[in-house]
Structures are given as structure tokens and as C-alpha cells.
Amino acid sequence: MTAPSYSDQQLKSYLDGSFSEEEALVFEDALSRSPELEQRLLALEPLSPLACEAFAAVPSDERLRGLLPSEATQKSPRRVAQLSLVACLAGAIGFALAVFMAPSNDLGWREQIAVYQALYVPGTIASIEHSESDLDLQFVRGSNALGREVRPDMVLGLDGFELRRAQVLQSAQQKIVQIVFAGPEGEPFAFCIVALDGTAQSTDLEFEQLAGVPTAHWVEGDYGYMLVGRVAPHLMRNAAQTLRATF
Amino acid sequence: MPCYAYKGIQLRAPIYSMVDQKKIDRSVRSELENGLKPLWRFAYALSGRADLADDLVQSTCLRALDKANQADLSRALLPWFMTICRSIWLNETRAQAIRRAQSLDTTPDFELISKEAGVETNILSRQVYTMLMALPEAQRSLAVLVFVEGFSYTEAAQALDVPLGTVMSRLHAVRNKMKVAVDGRQKDGMTG
């Protein structure tokens, strides 16, 4: 069967929306089989010149080039990722050895949490699934341990994170509630709350790398708060700002 | 990674493969450099915000370089970059942006309109720009691919991973919504 031929006037009618539904279907079928017809139709698109003008200016070449990772910093992302992982693990293991060989009260609560979290990998949390009622119960236990209320709704709505569980941990000096999330790529990420001894001074939100893991932490009242995990910096920043507004 | 067949057995040649991979990496980087403008415009059309567009382009570059061994160098790579960009937007950045802004309604700031255009053209451009950016995300990104970047309908369908029929019906909706601007231009005798 020969494909129907279309005049420019007919193509304009199609673009105008003057074709009946049936005519449009026949035309679009012909279009899918004819690159030449497609090119003719594209050339007649009335919006193309207007849209091109409207989007004429883009950020400067220099600024755009800045978005492309340089060869020096990005020789091979796969290799970089492998090296980063090795470096992080080496750092974490080195730090962990130092921790386990040192008296535990030599470490601050932040370092202890970071060392603990440094051992988390995506597989650690991959299979953790809890029902809403389980989570409620975990948060009640956490609240009892801390002596302050923490509910799931207080930590939900973090951009890019999915709540997985809450558990109570105990260091030499403090009780810690660790609330575990999965990041966009399944990365383990935690929000930890520590009951301090009442002499701690409030501190502002600070971002710091501890035991090879990015963290964000602050102290407010009798509690220390910390976000910890290998996630994208903007995710860490957003989560920290959101939680800082609540806690 | 190319394989070398010998008597029916697939033998990998690591040294040659490494050389090839370097070549592929360089080609992808070069194509990315050439495609930064259209990529940024597409990212902007998806996200409606310059800062998110920057993030998206950066992530797209990283992802494309990371997956350079999957690039089909016999074809233009821009559609592939657009596909990666859209995938990152849909799977990673979008939900976060919506939650942050509560919605993706865009407030056009006209920053993309050429400052060199004449006053009348500029007014019309603003109108077109505002209307385009007010379109739903799926229509907006498609309109930028086809009307601004010159993708064919088929290429756009591939980049957006939708059937050609969907592309045509979305473009039909865009044309209807933009009819006012087109008619205005024709009345002003500004079309060639």
C-alpha cells in the first residue's frame, strides 16, 4: 500500500489541529514511517522560531563548563568511586581500630556515632522493613530512653529519605536513639539523638567529616543531634536544616 | 567493551579495551562539552529552576561519564544525555524539588530571553517563555526538545521514553495552548 502524500497546506492543517481524529491517526501512522514527512512537518512547526527566541540566552559558556567535572577530578568515575570507597573504608577501619583500642570515654558522642555508622553499608538496611505500628513502638521506646518525645511524624518528609527503623543504643556514658533512613540509592543514613548530661552548651548546626563519614550536628538543651551517612551534600544539608527546625 | 573472537571463543583484550575506553571517555566528554547548552535548557525545562538545572546538568555529566562504556558513538549522544537527565530528574531530584517547593509551579524570571532582541520581540518572547514555562512538565520538556533543540518527533519520543503517538498528542496540546502567541505574532507580521 502506498503511503498517502501530503501537501504543505495539509501539513499546516494538521499542525493547526484541523484534521479529524481519523485523519490525524492516518497521518501520524504515515509520519511514523516516513522520516522525510517528519522533517517537512518539523520545518513547518509555527512555534519553533518563537520558542528558540524565548530560550535564546542560557548561562555563559564559562559557567556551563564549570558544571562538567574536570578530567583531573574525574579521570574515571568508576575508579574514583572505587578509590573513595576504599579510602572511606580504610579511614573508618583505622578510626574504628583507634576507637576500640582507646578507652571509650576518650571519644565524644559524635565520634562514637560516626564510627558506628561508618560500618553501615546499603546491605545493612536493605532488608529492614517495619510496619507503621512497629515504628510507633520503636519511637515510644526511643522516647522513654531519651526522656523526651520523638515521634515518626517529626522525622518524616525528609527530602529523598525513607524511614526504616528507630533503635536505642547505649555508649559508656549516654543513651542514643538512632533513627535509620535509606537514601535515594539505598544509602544508610541516620539521625541520632543523644541525651547529654545537662552541662552541654548549645551549639549551632555544623557540618563535619568524622571517621570518614559526613555528619551534621548540633546541641540544643540537654540533647545532642546528629545526622550521619554517605549521602549527597545537598541532601545532608536539606535534611539537617529541616530537622534543626524541629529539634 | 569490545570482545575479540577467536575460533568461536570470546577473548577479552584488556589492554586494547583500556585504550578504547579512554577514547570513549574522551568522546563522551567532548560531546558533553558541546551539548551543555541544550542540556541545560532541557534541565531547566524539566525543573523550572536555574539552580536545579545546574544540579541536574552536573549529575547528568557525572552519570554519562560514568556510563561512557554504554555510549553508542555511532550516533549523536545528546539524546542519550537528555534521557539520563530526565531519568535523574524523575528518580532523584523531582520528588525532592516538589517537597521543597510544595509544587513545581514556575515563576518565570525571563532570564533565558535574549537581551539582544528588540523591545517588541522581547515582549513576545516573554509571553512565549511564560506560556511555555507554565505548561505541565511533560509538555514543557517535550516542547523544548522539539521546538528549541530541533529534535525530531521520533528522537524526542526516544529521549523521553514515550510512544510517538504520545509525543504528537502532547505537541498538539502545546500548539493549542500557544495558539494565542502564534496568532499574535502573525498579526504583527513578524513571521517570515
Side-chain angles (χ1 to χ4, degrees):
Chain A
M1 195 177 98
T2 320
S5 60
Y6 291 92
S7 67
D8 280 2
Q9 198 50 48
Q10 284 173 306
L11 297 188
K12 282 179 184 168
S13 297
Y14 169 79
L15 292 171
D16 274 352
S18 311
F19 272 27
S20 68
E21 205 172 317
E22 198 182 327
E23 285 172 327
L25 280 174
V26 173
F27 174 74
E28 283 165 13
D29 181 55
L31 190 74
S32 69
R33 286 181 283 111
S34 168
E36 189 228 352
L37 184 59
E38 189 177 14
Q39 287 308 316
R40 281 179 57 211
L41 188 69
L42 282 164
L44 292 171
E45 279 283 3
L47 281 170
S48 293
L50 286 168
C52 283
E53 272 171 27
F55 279 78
V58 288
S60 66
D61 285 342
E62 196 187 345
R63 194 184 137 205
L64 287 177
R65 268 199 300 275
L67 301 176
L68 184 65
S70 70
E71 274 184 273
T73 57
Q74 197 278 323
K75 274 201 168 7
S76 160
R78 292 174 294 281
R79 184 79 183 131
V80 168
Q82 285 162 2
L83 288 174
S84 305
L85 183 62
V86 169
C88 282
L89 282 173
I93 290 167
F95 197 88
L97 281 175
V99 168
F100 294 130
M101 288 167 73
S104 61
N105 57 2
D106 283 356
L107 286 173
W109 60 274
R110 288 184 290 267
E111 288 80 4
Q112 291 188 49
I113 290 173
V115 167
Y116 180 72
Q117 188 72 26
L119 301 175
Y120 271 60
V121 292
T124 316
I125 59 164
S127 57
I128 299 176
E129 269 182 42
H130 290 291
S131 67
E132 226 171 276
S133 56
D134 284 348
L135 282 170
D136 284 340
L137 191 61
Q138 291 168 7
F139 274 79
V140 168
R141 285 186 189 133
S143 300
N144 290 339
L146 290 172
R148 67 149 292 168
E149 189 181 33
V150 188
R151 300 183 312 272
D153 64 274
M154 295 164 90
V155 298
L156 286 175
L158 290 188
D159 290 340
F161 296 104
E162 191 184 306
L163 178 60
R164 288 293 169 88
R165 78 163 171 225
Q167 62 180 355
V168 180
L169 306 170
Q170 172 82 54
S171 76
Q173 298 96 359
Q174 292 115 348
K175 282 198 166 144
I176 301 166
V177 168
Q178 182 210 37
I179 301 165
V180 179
F181 299 86
E185 310 273 352
E187 319 92 303
F189 184 71
F191 175 48
C192 297
I193 307 174
V194 186
L196 299 174
D197 62 8
T199 59
Q201 286 190 328
S202 292
T203 58
D204 282 339
L205 177 59
E206 274 180 50
F207 295 88
E208 193 176 6
Q209 187 100 352
L210 292 170
V213 190
T215 72
H217 53 77
W218 68 95
V219 174
E220 182 73 55
D222 293 340
Y223 295 94
Y225 301 89
M226 182 159 159
L227 286 157
V228 55
R230 295 185 187 97
V231 294
H234 71 279
L235 291 178
M236 170 69 85
R237 198 174 51 243
N238 292 343
Q241 283 162 355
T242 304
L243 289 170
R244 182 71 182 96
T246 310
F247 292 91
Chain B
M1 189 180 288
C3 295
Y4 299 87
Y6 179 69
K7 291 184 182 174
I9 302 169
Q10 296 280 302
L11 297 175
R12 290 189 182 278
I15 296 171
Y16 293 115
S17 300
M18 276 171 66
V19 173
D20 287 349
Q21 192 56 52
K22 274 189 177 175
K23 219 162 128 185
I24 292 168
D25 286 351
R26 270 202 301 274
S27 302
V28 170
R29 173 174 287 279
S30 157
E31 290 266 331
L32 273 171
E33 218 169 320
N34 295 333
L36 281 172
K37 279 186 182 175
L39 189 56
W40 193 90
R41 278 191 292 251
F42 181 61
Y44 186 81
L46 284 172
S47 65
R49 278 180 34 187
D51 58 336
L52 287 177
D54 283 358
D55 283 355
L56 263 175
V57 169
Q58 213 159 19
S59 303
T60 304
C61 290
L62 280 167
R63 190 73 54 90
L65 288 165
D66 195 26
K67 293 183 182 295
N69 55 342
Q70 295 174 15
D72 179 357
L73 297 180
S74 64
R75 305 164 70 168
L77 293 185
L78 189 58
W80 183 56
F81 299 150
M82 303 296 199
T83 305
I84 294 175
C85 181
R86 178 174 169 272
S87 162
I88 293 174
W89 169 245
L90 291 181
N91 298 324
E92 295 167 31
T93 324
R94 187 171 183 268
Q96 174 200 338
I98 290 173
R99 277 199 291 272
R100 200 188 299 159
Q102 297 307 310
S103 80
L104 274 183
D105 289 343
T106 50
T107 310
D109 48 11
F110 312 121
E111 67 179 33
L112 289 185
I113 294 163
S114 170
K115 307 282 189 295
E116 289 160 18
V119 176
E120 283 176 15
T121 312
N122 217 283
I123 291 167
L124 184 65
S125 289
R126 283 178 185 222
Q127 192 188 348
V128 170
Y129 176 80
T130 307
M131 290 172 83
L132 275 173
M133 291 309 287
L135 292 170
E137 181 191 307
Q139 293 176 7
R140 191 168 70 217
S141 51
L142 173 62
V144 166
L145 283 186
V146 174
F147 301 144
V148 181
E149 307 306 343
F151 275 48
S152 72
Y153 309 114
T154 313
E155 286 169 337
Q158 282 163 0
L160 298 175
D161 195 23
V162 293
L164 183 63
T166 306
V167 162
M168 299 317 286
S169 63
R170 281 184 190 164
L171 286 176
H172 184 61
V174 174
R175 287 187 208 102
N176 274 345
K177 288 178 188 168
M178 303 289 292
K179 211 171 180 338
V180 182
V182 179
D183 289 349
R185 184 180 172 102
Q186 279 165 351
K187 266 183 209 158
D188 293 345
M190 292 169 75
T191 44

